Amino acid sequence: MYDIAQARELGFTSHWESLEFLNRQGFVANAPARLCRSIEDIEEYISTADRLRKELDFDIDGVVLKVDSLPLRRELGVTTKAPRWAIAYKFAQEQAVTRLQSVVWQVGRMQITPVAVLEPVELGGTTVSRASLHNIDQIREKDIRVGDLVVVEKAGFIIPYVVESRRDERTGAETEIEPPETCPACGGPTRVCREREDGVPGAGESTVVHCTNKTCQGMLARRVTYFVTMMEIENVGPQLVERLVSAGLVAEPVDLFRLRREDLLSVERMGEKLADKILYNIEKARTRPLSKVIAALGIPNVGAVSAEDLAHRFSTLTAFRAATADQLLTVSGIGEKVAQCITEFLAAPANIAWIDRLAAWLIEAPVGEAPSPSAPTLAGKTFVITGEAGVPRSELETLVKRHGGRVSGSVSAKTSYLVIGSLEGPGYTSGKKTKAESLGIPIIDEFGLKSMAESGNDPGGQHG
Ligand SMILES: [Zn+2]
């Protein structure tokens, strides 16, 4: 916990008091916290916390030391960046030594990057067999060779990476690492060039490897997968994307919206039920909020969090596309470099065309239309939900409760409706269905439930 905003008004004079107060109120506020009275106390606490952190239910990469006295905190005040009364202590990162067996070149959305294949080693509670090598510059700078003993580090939540090689332990059999001449995904020729890092203006340049094939399937698949992830389209994983791309069914993200049922069914190991579910999920993605759409565009250095801020500021895709650097800079969390990334991205003809194609598929919510409060359309009704629907069952349960209805786990005379997910065919059988039929309880699917929740009218389920 960071702090209680109104602690002073509650009469506390110390942070510890406020933590104890929260605990009494039933919050879990200070499970691993401790009140330290001396620098020795602090040192002891840090080493204990470092030792015990593996037993915690959550990951920590350090502890925060805070001044306890609230009057003293007020006296110390804050700088523009952080309070003067708190400081973070980071634990030493975890390292392990292992052998670099080989290097694979991984095709990404923008470039081809080196990945170290390691002799498996325990690191930070997991077995690590792959680690990042960043780029060819770092490999040369650190003089890392295949066959080397290398130090691998894992800090916090980041991907493990190779810190250095043990050059003094070389046998002479080690080999230098060279960028690939052909793309590992499509076999097309690669190009090695100097480029701004991550596309960030002003950042240092680094040597990057590109596939020169504009229709490289590896790169396309990565772009589509990125889009799918950011648009939160369920049931479309990287492997399916690869199959769709290699079958020529998808050549860019918007092709997903064009997929027909028979296209999906032509893909290996695709059943009808899954195909319908995927089509449903893709269709649903057309109404994603602006924040998801902005994140899915693939603008360098604009992830989900910045996209959220941008969507808040610009409200519509049209407004966002017309954003000037000055406007972008008024968005919290958007600095000059990211603003420049955005304006450069939005000005590139290829991107303009791609956003046009995407916009044609999107269904934007009218601006300023706040979601209307849920009417108690389902009050007094009890629903039993079963079978597979196009949406998670929890979503349907929330819908029922939000509209004043009840959800029950079993069918009885008190059940108003049995909801069977639409992905179940007419031949679906279950104990709940049989019982509902014998009791004459109407059976509906999730669409019937939704229309009932919206209108309050009986959707006319089939009576058993
Ligand atoms: Zn390629």
Side-chain angles (χ1 to χ4, degrees):
M1 190 208 57
Y2 179 72
D3 207 357
I4 298 188
Q6 305 284 325
R8 207 171 155 190
E9 279 74 357
L10 287 166
F12 301 131
T13 57
S14 77
H15 184 59
W16 192 253
E17 273 176 36
S18 65
L19 287 179
E20 289 186 321
F21 166 77
L22 282 179
N23 272 344
R24 282 198 303 275
Q25 304 303 312
F27 292 96
V28 183
N30 66 342
R34 193 193 293 175
L35 182 59
C36 298
R37 301 200 179 275
S38 65
I39 190 75
E40 289 78 24
D41 274 5
I42 291 173
E43 281 168 1
E44 201 218 330
Y45 173 60
I46 286 174
S47 67
T48 312
D50 196 357
R51 239 186 8 258
L52 296 181
R53 63 178 155 139
K54 278 179 195 162
E55 290 161 27
L56 292 175
D57 293 335
F58 44 90
D59 280 322
I60 57 172
D61 63 354
V63 296
V64 178
L65 308 170
K66 296 175 184 174
V67 171
D68 192 38
S69 155
L70 298 182
L72 199 51
R73 281 191 185 185
R74 281 193 291 280
E75 207 172 300
L76 287 164
V78 295
T79 69
T80 52
K81 288 194 171 142
R84 288 201 186 88
W85 45 264
I87 190 162
Y89 177 90
K90 292 259 187 281
F91 296 128
Q93 290 138 341
E94 301 205 44
Q95 294 192 336
V97 177
T98 186
R99 196 165 299 279
L100 176 60
Q101 292 178 323
S102 62
V103 172
V104 293
W105 291 83
Q106 192 168 286
V107 180
R109 218 154 39 92
M110 317 278 206
Q111 47 176 276
I112 303 172
T113 52
V115 177
V117 179
L118 307 165
E119 222 162 74
V121 64
E122 279 293 308
L123 183 57
T126 54
T127 304
V128 170
S129 57
R130 291 201 166 208
S132 171
L133 283 165
H134 296 300
N135 56 40
I136 195 76
D137 295 337
Q138 297 241 359
I139 291 173
R140 286 183 184 145
E141 207 170 286
K142 295 173 181 170
D143 186 19
I144 295 167
R145 299 182 191 181
V146 171
D148 271 346
L149 275 178
V150 291
V151 177
V152 187
E153 183 169 297
K154 192 178 165 209
F157 306 97
I158 65 165
I159 302 163
Y161 68 100
V162 177
V163 184
E164 59 178 11
S165 63
R166 292 273 169 90
R167 269 170 269 177
D168 47 340
E169 308 218 25
R170 279 190 181 149
T171 63
E174 295 78 14
T175 52
E176 286 202 35
I177 299 162
E178 295 294 340
E181 283 171 12
T182 57
C183 168
C186 70
T190 58
R191 182 165 43 97
V192 180
C193 57
R194 302 281 300 163
E195 227 171 60
R196 285 186 324 210
E197 232 155 278
D198 300 328
V200 182
E205 284 197 343
S206 63
T207 306
V208 294
V209 185
H210 290 289
C211 172
T212 57
N213 174 5
K214 282 210 177 342
T215 57
C216 171
Q217 294 194 342
M219 230 158 40
L220 287 178
R222 289 300 297 261
R223 272 184 210 151
V224 174
T225 300
Y226 182 83
F227 179 81
V228 164
T229 308
M230 292 320 225
M231 290 290 268
E232 295 177 353
I233 303 175
E234 284 171 44
N235 301 105
V236 183
Q239 282 156 2
L240 174 60
V241 169
E242 264 170 40
R243 283 191 217 129
L244 291 169
V245 168
S246 66
L249 291 166
V250 170
E252 63 160 337
V254 290
D255 287 342
L256 290 168
F257 297 118
R258 293 196 184 90
L259 285 174
R260 294 161 308 166
R261 197 163 185 266
E262 54 265 41
D263 294 334
L264 285 172
L265 290 174
S266 72
V267 173
E268 205 187 325
R269 275 179 284 166
M270 172 76 65
E272 294 195 354
K273 205 159 130 178
L274 181 58
D276 287 345
K277 203 157 154 182
I278 289 170
L279 287 177
Y280 180 91
N281 291 340
I282 291 174
E283 181 63 25
K284 222 170 50 170
R286 294 177 60 194
T287 57
R288 283 286 182 271
L290 182 61
S291 57
K292 307 283 179 214
V293 175
I294 292 177
L297 293 178
I299 304 170
N301 297 294
V302 175
V305 176
S306 313
E308 194 92 37
D309 295 335
L310 290 164
H312 198 254
R313 165 69 177 79
F314 292 101
S315 307
T316 66
L317 187 57
T318 312
F320 173 66
R321 295 180 70 174
T324 63
D326 286 343
Q327 287 173 335
L328 290 167
L329 286 170
T330 65
V331 179
S332 69
I334 303 292
E336 271 179 38
K337 285 176 182 176
V338 177
Q340 198 179 334
C341 280
I342 297 170
T343 49
E344 281 182 10
F345 183 93
L346 293 174
N351 294 330
I352 291 173
W354 133 241
I355 303 174
D356 279 341
R357 290 195 299 277
L358 174 62
W361 287 98
L362 298 176
I363 303 164
E364 265 186 285
V367 185
E369 193 174 283
S372 54
S374 306
T377 41
L378 305 180
K381 297 190 173 87
T382 301
F383 297 81
V384 174
I385 303 170
T386 191
E388 199 157 352
V391 293
R393 188 172 299 180
S394 59
E395 208 170 288
L396 297 177
E397 288 175 359
T398 308
L399 179 77
V400 169
K401 288 175 194 158
R402 231 181 30 222
H403 288 275
R406 274 193 62 224
V407 177
S408 164
S410 58
V411 176
S412 73
K414 288 179 192 151
T415 306
S416 315
Y417 293 90
L418 174 65
V419 182
I420 298 181
S422 65
L423 296 178
E424 305 294 354
Y428 174 77
T429 54
S430 78
K432 284 175 184 152
K433 188 180 177 188
T434 312
K435 185 140 188 211
E437 281 168 348
S438 73
L439 291 169
I441 293 165
I443 297 171
I444 57 175
D445 62 14
E446 70 267 26
F447 299 105
L449 174 64
K450 280 177 186 167
S451 82
M452 198 189 319
E454 278 158 23
S455 65
N457 297 330
D458 188 315
Q462 42 170 155
H463 288 257

